Amino acid sequence: MNDERTELYADPDIPFSEKILALLHKLRNPPAFQQEESSPLHIRLSEQWQQSGVNFAASTGKLESRYHEARRQLMNCIVPTAGLGPILHEGGVYFGCWLESTGTINAEVLARFLPEVAENTYRSFAAFQREDGLLPYKITADGPSYRQIQLVTPLARSVWNYSRLHEAETAADTSDFLPAMYEAMRRYDRWIGQYRDTRGTGCVEAFGTFDTGHDLSPRFWHVPDVPYRGDATACDPHSPLLPFLAPDLTANIFCQRTYLSKISERLDDTVTSQDWLRMAEQSLDSLYRYCFDEEDRFFYDRDRQDQRVRIQSDVLLRVLACEVGDGEFFAESLRRYLLNTSKFFAKYPLTSIAMDDPRFDPFNHYNSWSGATNFLTVLRTPHAFEHHQRHVELSWVLHPTLSAFARSDRFAQCVSPWTGEMGFTEQYSPSILALLDIVERLCGILPRPDGTLWMTGLLPSAGDHGEEITGDTAYSRTVDGIHYELINTPDRCFIYQNGKPHLSFPYGLRIVTDRAGHMQACIGMSVQTVRGIVRYGDQEWEVVVKGNELQAYEPQKQIFRTVSDPGIVYPSSN
């Protein structure tokens, strides 16, 4: 025990603490992982998880037990399907894998924990591509379904991020993953252009509610749920409203083409890469020409009568998550909508319909996108915010969700925006993955597609009745054979590398390193300016970092230098 104390606390700024040592011991000795069914698949998945080195521990509160329950239930959402081997299922009442969610954003998060399952999930959609180029909107035990398109998160972005995160495993000279997925998405893009632009606008058209997955949303009142006669190429000729020029579908294809350009270039086809960028620009032009309202600064559907469907919904967030708009527009969207407590910034954000709309329905006990906060929205939110370096504002969205998870008894599809009460269904993989993602994003070690690691020094907020949900926290992850541990306390945070003190920094910062642990930058994660000492190796620096400010570390000069400082957008109520 004395040897362990000496090893752990050689860092000069840590007085020995029984509490911190106990937390680190807890992290290194996790509870035995028990699955209801000890099948060969679950045993293999558990072994793969252990290879990631990921674990989470807390000194007090309920969140730790919910975290371990999330991990256990996630394994039940991974199912051999239609002869493809194990792929991720939506879970709950949804027995299958959906392109809008499970096959994209869910798998994108899962790739940080169980990459083999994530890759198999992506490949399953290419494997079942129809001869005319249409990808299935879902895959179940009965096989693929093609009734609708159901798009939200761009598949190409998820595929690209997976290939960057696992570069060695997906290199073109060792794997056919990128070439196979690229060819499938190229053919799918051609299908979309052929069948979903009947009005010749360059926008992507919705032929029914389920094309966007917006079940029960007033956005689609008085239109059919599915395309005409269950044919994804056909729009109901008797509808006075359809087809819609859909901003979220159009933004999806804009983003899809942008990332197809990246993939094409990586596959050494620079000519085609430029073609994709030109096509992406055409999609973006159509999005703004037909779907953007200059006065409201919002994106709306345009119906068959060329009228805007003025429903303010999470369509805005979907478009922003497709990397539409610059930093100034995103900040404006935060002020007017996403952080506005009259619009989407509920106590448990973000709602699926603006709260000041008379059609807003907060009830969450059925599959609804008419008001309740959906965990798919929570899962999709970080990319939109982080794309514009809005880390502090994102934390205000995620902290209440963690509080709701800590009080919950199941992983539902949606949560009450008023009370945080869990709603429809259970063992729902987007909800499960949202918990795993938020913990890693706020107080864990998150590997990024750009080859960096985010080590974030925050603690979950005791926002609900002042109830402490974690106390101090500890998180671990193994990257390229190097084992990292992060200990967060309200004053200071400590990183260990292969069991030895590596780096320490003030609470409220995010430290950015490469995968080998070399410090590259720090980011302010608090509304309060962070002041304190960063210690790295035998060096130390006094830093002053404002919220959202990015300071790069320059090892040659041994200094931190401000790279960007976008300021903070504060919540509003008007």
Side-chain angles (χ1 to χ4, degrees):
M1 183 58 136
N2 289 334
D3 291 341
E4 184 179 11
R5 292 185 181 187
T6 303
E7 181 70 7
L8 293 179
Y9 298 99
D11 191 323
D13 63 8
I14 310 179
F16 176 72
S17 165
E18 289 288 351
K19 182 175 69 170
I20 294 178
L21 180 60
L23 184 58
L24 199 51
H25 179 79
K26 192 177 185 183
L27 180 71
R28 293 176 174 180
N29 298 275
F33 187 68
Q34 295 181 343
Q35 199 70 24
E36 291 175 359
E37 301 176 17
S38 295
S39 66
L41 173 60
H42 286 147
I43 292 171
R44 190 165 84 249
L45 293 175
S46 180
E47 290 172 349
Q48 290 177 16
W49 185 285
Q50 290 172 9
Q51 290 171 9
S52 74
V54 171
N55 191 30
F56 170 69
S59 62
T60 189
K62 302 175 182 177
L63 190 62
E64 180 185 340
S65 64
R66 296 306 298 156
Y67 179 92
H68 291 298
E69 180 62 17
R71 174 186 162 183
R72 187 188 68 80
Q73 291 194 26
L74 177 63
M75 303 303 172
N76 295 331
C77 296
I78 298 169
V79 184
T81 306
L84 294 172
I87 64 173
L88 182 63
H89 277 210
E90 196 82 355
V93 300
Y94 306 102
F95 301 106
C97 180
W98 269 253
L99 180 59
E100 66 144 328
S101 51
T102 341
T104 48
I105 188 60
N106 296 20
E108 190 171 330
V109 174
L110 183 69
R112 305 203 305 262
F113 306 97
L114 297 170
E116 291 181 22
V117 178
E119 180 172 331
N120 206 35
T121 302
Y122 293 136
R123 285 181 179 273
S124 66
F125 287 93
F128 279 123
Q129 186 167 33
R130 210 165 66 179
E131 191 171 328
D132 65 353
L134 178 62
L135 293 174
Y137 80 91
K138 73 173 180 179
I139 300 168
T140 69
D142 296 326
S145 297
Y146 304 95
R147 184 181 62 183
Q148 63 232 27
I149 56 175
Q150 201 153 341
L151 298 178
V152 181
T153 299
L155 176 61
R157 191 196 85 194
S158 296
V159 166
W160 172 255
N161 286 342
Y162 174 81
S163 71
R164 295 289 307 280
L165 190 63
H166 301 282
E167 199 136 18
E169 295 84 351
T170 59
D173 57 345
T174 60
S175 170
D176 70 340
F177 174 71
L178 264 187
M181 293 304 302
Y182 174 78
E183 177 60 18
M185 292 184 289
R186 183 194 63 78
R187 294 176 57 212
Y188 185 57
D189 184 88
R190 182 178 298 173
W191 186 95
I192 289 287
Q194 182 174 354
Y195 294 107
R196 287 306 183 100
D197 185 19
T198 63
R199 294 164 63 178
T201 64
C203 292
V204 180
E205 296 166 354
F207 290 176
T209 307
F210 294 171
D211 275 340
T212 69
H214 261 156
D215 302 44
L216 295 185
S217 172
R219 174 188 181 189
F220 288 102
W221 281 358
H222 308 298
V223 301
D225 282 339
V226 300
Y228 190 54
R229 296 179 177 174
D231 179 358
T233 69
C235 185
D236 187 349
H238 308 292
S239 171
L241 300 174
L242 293 178
F244 282 179
L245 307 182
D248 45 350
L249 299 182
T250 305
N252 175 290
I253 295 303
F254 155 72
C255 192
Q256 179 87 354
R257 289 170 170 174
T258 301
Y259 278 86
L260 283 169
S261 173
K262 296 177 186 288
I263 296 172
S264 178
E265 185 172 11
R266 184 173 174 185
L267 296 175
D268 296 325
D269 188 350
T270 54
V271 174
T272 304
S273 176
Q274 292 303 309
D275 291 340
W276 284 120
L277 288 179
R278 282 191 289 272
M279 294 169 67
E281 192 63 32
Q282 291 168 3
S283 294
L284 188 64
D285 288 346
S286 295
L287 173 67
Y288 276 99
R289 182 179 299 117
Y290 294 101
C291 299
F292 186 63
D293 185 284
E294 189 64 47
E295 182 177 349
D296 290 353
R297 308 291 287 174
F298 206 93
F299 296 93
Y300 299 109
D301 297 297
R302 194 179 283 270
D303 69 16
R304 183 175 180 175
Q305 309 307 321
D306 211 32
Q307 300 296 312
R308 288 198 172 97
V309 182
R310 292 189 177 275
I311 307 286
Q312 291 184 348
S313 72
D314 71 305
V315 159
L316 174 63
L317 181 68
R318 293 180 175 196
V319 170
L320 294 170
C322 288
E323 304 177 11
V324 170
D326 59 14
E328 183 179 348
F329 178 67
F330 189 79
E332 180 185 9
S333 297
L334 290 178
R335 282 189 292 269
R336 293 188 63 169
Y337 296 106
L338 299 180
L339 296 183
N340 187 334
T341 58
S342 296
K343 296 291 186 179
F344 298 97
F345 198 46
K347 180 173 174 58
Y348 299 90
L350 297 161
T351 60
S352 47
I353 295 291
M355 290 176 282
D356 62 356
D357 190 307
R359 293 157 290 195
F360 173 77
D361 172 14
F363 294 104
N364 64 334
H365 295 292
Y366 41 86
N367 173 19
S368 170
W369 289 81
S370 59
T373 298
N374 276 260
F375 281 111
L376 266 173
T377 297
V378 174
L379 206 57
R380 293 164 178 157
T381 297
H383 186 81
F385 280 65
E386 290 167 353
H387 185 66
H388 297 288
Q389 203 178 322
R390 292 295 170 182
H391 309 286
V392 175
E393 295 88 340
L394 175 62
S395 73
W396 301 338
V397 175
L398 301 183
H399 277 300
T401 307
L402 276 188
S403 295
F405 275 128
R407 294 187 287 108
S408 69
D409 60 356
R410 57 198 171 86
F411 294 98
Q413 174 181 329
C414 47
V415 64
S416 166
W418 303 152
T419 68
E421 176 191 3
M422 292 291 160
F424 180 66
T425 203
E426 59 187 354
Q427 198 168 278
Y428 183 62
S429 69
S431 175
I432 293 167
L433 288 163
L435 173 54
L436 300 178
D437 178 73
I438 296 171
V439 167
E440 186 162 89
R441 203 169 290 276
L442 293 184
C443 52
I445 302 163
L446 192 155
R448 299 281 297 165
D450 63 2
T452 62
L453 303 179
W454 281 359
M455 304 185 183
T456 306
L458 294 177
L459 292 172
S461 170
D464 287 354
H465 309 288
E467 182 179 354
E468 194 71 65
I469 65 173
T470 61
D472 301 333
T473 64
Y475 196 93
S476 64
R477 175 179 276 280
T478 300
V479 179
D480 299 337
I482 302 172
H483 189 63
Y484 296 97
E485 296 162 312
L486 171 65
I487 307 294
N488 289 350
T489 77
D491 300 310
R492 199 153 180 81
C493 306
F494 313 97
I495 299 169
Y496 293 92
Q497 187 183 65
N498 291 331
K500 296 181 179 180
H502 180 60
L503 199 154
S504 65
F505 56 98
Y507 178 87
L509 288 186
R510 168 177 286 157
I511 295 295
V512 182
T513 75
D514 65 12
R515 292 172 69 93
H518 300 122
M519 186 168 64
Q520 293 188 343
C522 66
I523 299 170
M525 296 296 296
S526 172
V527 68
Q528 179 179 348
T529 298
V530 176
R531 293 176 169 85
I533 301 295
V534 172
R535 283 199 174 95
Y536 173 50
D538 58 357
Q539 301 290 317
E540 66 176 48
W541 299 263
E542 187 169 350
V543 297
V544 179
V545 188
K546 291 177 283 187
N548 290 327
E549 182 181 4
L550 171 64
Q551 294 188 8
Y553 171 62
E554 298 183 355
Q556 289 81 13
K557 297 181 180 179
Q558 296 280 297
I559 61 171
F560 283 93
R561 176 181 56 85
T562 298
V563 175
S564 60
D565 183 11
I568 294 174
V569 177
Y570 295 94
S572 63
S573 58
N574 54 358

